[in-house]
């Protein structure tokens, strides 16, 4: 088995999952009301992209220490995204089915990130 450090980010299942989830976030937020465009829509989009971007950056740094640090940051961005999804659902901007689908994907991604971080230790 290859180490996490040796695998390119495009081949990491967690990166693929988070990329797909970010695309789904962007689709889901297209229908958000205009009055929450800057307070919620842009924030949730940014945080969903941040998850993947930190995985990519961590892989680009090429050291275990940096990779672990950026994966930890990615996990924080993932948790932030999950909160924004919850808020959007409770505020009435996000359909329950979209929320359930996205939250499930991010929960799986969180477990994958936790495993990857533990593997680096």
């Amino acid at each position: 088995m290859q180490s996490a450090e040796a695998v390119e980010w495009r081949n990491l299942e967690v990166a693929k999952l988070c990329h797909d989830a970010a695309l789904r976030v962007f689709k889901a937020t297209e229908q958000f009301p205009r009055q929450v465009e800057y307070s919620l829509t842009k924030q949730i989009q940014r945080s969903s992209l941040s998850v993947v971007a930190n995985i990519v950056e961590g892989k680009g740094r090429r050291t275990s220490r940096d990779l672990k640090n950026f994966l930890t940051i990615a996990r924080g961005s993932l948790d932030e995204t999950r909160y924004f999804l919850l808020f959007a659902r409770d505020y009435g901007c996000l359909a329950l089915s979209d929320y359930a689908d996205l939250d499930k994907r991010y929960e799986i991604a969180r477990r994958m990130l936790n495993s990857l971080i533990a593997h680096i230790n």
Side-chain angles (χ1 to χ4, degrees):
M1 180 175 159
Q2 282 186 312
S3 71
E5 296 84 357
V7 177
E8 184 192 27
W9 70 266
R10 292 177 198 258
N11 297 325
L12 284 175
E13 290 302 316
V14 68
K16 293 176 189 177
L17 178 60
C18 292
H19 172 77
D20 180 65
L23 290 170
R24 290 170 185 266
V25 164
F26 270 71
K27 285 284 188 198
T29 58
E30 286 176 355
Q31 306 304 318
F32 280 18
R34 187 155 173 79
Q35 69 262 26
V36 299
E37 181 176 358
Y38 295 103
S39 59
L40 181 59
T41 306
K42 298 296 183 195
Q43 288 284 59
I44 195 170
Q45 290 173 346
R46 249 184 236 112
S47 66
S48 70
L49 289 175
S50 181
V51 178
V52 183
N54 278 292
I55 294 168
V56 171
E57 188 168 357
K59 290 300 295 171
R61 296 296 178 106
R62 305 267 186 218
T63 69
S64 295
R65 183 177 180 198
D66 284 339
L67 176 58
K68 180 182 174 189
N69 182 50
F70 280 96
L71 292 176
T72 302
I73 294 168
R75 186 175 55 197
S77 293
L78 186 150
D79 288 340
E80 180 182 16
T81 302
R82 288 182 80 190
Y83 169 71
F84 287 138
L85 291 168
L86 174 68
F87 184 88
R89 182 202 68 187
D90 291 350
Y91 192 69
C93 296
L94 185 63
L96 295 176
S97 59
D98 289 336
Y99 170 78
D101 176 64
L102 287 164
D103 191 61
K104 181 179 178 182
R105 289 172 190 279
Y106 280 118
E107 175 56 30
I108 292 166
R110 190 174 205 291
R111 281 188 251 134
M112 293 170 83
L113 280 173
N114 285 340
S115 294
L116 197 52
I117 292 165
H119 177 75
I120 293 168
N121 289 334

